[in-house]
Every structure is written in C-alpha cells, then in structure tokens.
C-alpha cells in the first residue's frame, strides 16, 4: 500500500506536523533509521506491562521483569547486528550510545518492578471489550475528517457502567494530548461507551499523570488535523523544519537540512 492511500495514525500525523521532511525520509524514501536504546526500552516495558495485565496481575514480579529483560535484549541484539558501532546510536543527555544501552536495561528492570507493585495497589480493572477480551493493545480503525485512522490503545480501564478511561504508558517524557484525544473518540465511536478522562502512566516517575479531560473533544476537531496531514501527503508537500529536534531525529544522517 502506498503512502498516499494507507490509513493514518497519531504518530504519522504528529511526525508530519513537526517535520514533514522527516516523514518523507522515513516513510517514503525508507531511510534506515539510526537505532536508539530508548525505543527498545519503551517497547520492552510495554510488553512486560501487557503480560502482567493479561495474567490478571497474577504473575510474580520476577516473571514480569524477565519479560522485559528478554524483550530488551532481543531488540538490542538485533539492532546491534544491524549497527554494531554504538557511537552511531542516538542517545539521551550526556550518555554515549553504549552507555545508554546499559543504563536503560537497569532502568527498565526497576520501572517494571515498580509497575507491578503500583498496579496491585492502585490499578482499576482493565475494561473488557465487547468481544470478551481485555482492552490491552486495543486496535482500532475508523474515519476522522474523511480519513481512515488506525492505532493501538495501551489500556482501556473500567470506570463504571458504560464508562471507560483510556491510558497510555510512557517511559519517556514526550506526551501527546492529541494521541489520548484520538483514543477517546475511537472508543466512543466504535463501542458506544462514555469516555470522559484519559491519562498517562509515567514509568520514569512511577505514577499517573493528571487526568486529561476528553468530554469536550469532538471528532470534527481531530478530523481537521488528520485531513490536513492527509492532504499534504497526497500533494507531495514535505517542508523541512530544522531546529532543536534534529538532534533526536533518527534519519538526520540522510537529511540535507539537519541543523
């Protein structure tokens, strides 16, 4: 499926809005991105949290940690096979690529252990979707602004009869209200339940964010952003926006505009 005709997503739309040239390099030219330990950290933490929740929170902490370790190691080893020079990896702050790989392994273990402890004390029940499955990595596809939009919701939580809260798990600092708003509208549209609130579980801090109110967000508002992005892609309009974010861009090595 070509980039012009495929469904859109939150990540596509926000990437296009932030720097459409990065979108072009990554999704049209298919430039091989530079690896980053933070990506494997996030994926492995999500896998561990999902496994714990799918067990109805019966897994021991050591078992959940093992899920993180196995996933992080497998992802990192695969990336090292493709790019063994860790000096070419993206890294956060003062760390080198190699230091960040090691640091995030330990950090992810601690965050996973804390998530298990925190969930047993604080977590409401995972919502059960109409098909009888727990609402974990809940997939959706629906139309906004005349554009097909797809995605996966980390968690949907039961807040009472026909009332659901959507949640995204974060190991980093970047948070997107647009993401949560899209999730809320998707659950409303597809399942006919009430979604008034959303939040992030912040693994870095071991706590929830403040609630994000969704009851005033309309499908039409969100649809305008998806429609504008979709139209830009179909026009072949990919303006570059060089600046501070270039240092975190995984395709900057192929970019003539990188600052």
């Amino acid at each position: 499926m070509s980039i012009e005709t495929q469904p859109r997503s939150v990540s596509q739309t926000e990437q296009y809005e932030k720097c459409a040239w990065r979108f072009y390099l990554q999704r049209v030219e298919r430039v091989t991105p530079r690896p980053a330990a933070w990506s494997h950290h996030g994926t492995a933490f999500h896998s561990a949290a999902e496994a714990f929740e799918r067990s109805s929170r019966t897994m021991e902490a050591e078992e959940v940690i093992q899920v993180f370790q196995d996933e992080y190691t497998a992802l990192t080893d695969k990336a090292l096979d493709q790019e063994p020079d860790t000096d070419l990896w993206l890294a956060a702050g003062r760390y080198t690529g190699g230091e960040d790989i090691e640091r995030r392994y330990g950090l992810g273990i601690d965050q996973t252990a804390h998530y298990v402890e925190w969930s047993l004390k604080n977590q409401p029940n995972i919502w059960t979707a109409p098909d009888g499955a727990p609402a974990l990595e809940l997939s959706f596809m629906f139309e906004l602004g005349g554009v097909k939009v797809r995605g996966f919701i980390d968690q949907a939580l039961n807040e009472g009869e026909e009332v659901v809260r959507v949640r995204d798990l974060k190991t980093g600092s970047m948070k997107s209200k647009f993401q949560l708003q899209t999730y809320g509208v998707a659950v409303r549209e597809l399942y006919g339940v009430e979604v008034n609130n959303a939040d992030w579980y912040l693994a870095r801090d071991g706590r929830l964010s403040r609630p994000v109110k969704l009851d005033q967000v309309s499908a039409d508002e969100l649809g305008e952003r998806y429609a504008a992005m979709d139209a830009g892609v179909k026009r072949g309009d990919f303006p570059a926006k060089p600046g501070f974010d270039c240092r975190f861009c995984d395709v900057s090595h192929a970019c003539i505009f990188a600052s």
Side-chain angles (χ1 to χ4, degrees), residues 88-124:
L88 298 179
W89 283 48
L90 292 171
R94 65 184 183 276
Y95 302 97
T96 65
E99 290 169 342
D100 209 33
I101 291 171
E102 184 176 353
R103 179 180 76 95
R104 288 179 182 277
Y105 181 77
L107 186 61
I109 289 172
D110 292 343
Q111 290 174 345
T112 300
H114 185 83
Y115 178 82
V116 171
E117 180 183 0
W118 176 87
S119 291
L120 292 172
K121 292 179 180 177
N122 301 286
Q123 182 80 303

Side-chain angles (χ1 to χ4, degrees), residues 130-155:
D131 63 1
L136 299 163
E137 289 297 310
L138 185 66
S139 64
F140 64 85
M141 172 91 81
F142 73 129
E143 194 169 287
L144 276 173
V147 177
K148 285 186 178 180
V149 177
R150 66 181 174 191
F152 294 88
I153 302 169
D154 287 346
Q155 298 178 352

Side-chain angles (χ1 to χ4, degrees), residues 47-68:
S47 295
E50 182 183 354
F52 179 61
E53 297 297 347
R54 288 195 185 280
S55 77
S56 299
R57 302 177 194 144
T58 60
M59 289 177 70
E60 296 293 332
E62 293 77 10
E63 296 176 284
V64 187
I65 289 169
Q66 191 65 56
V67 173
F68 172 85

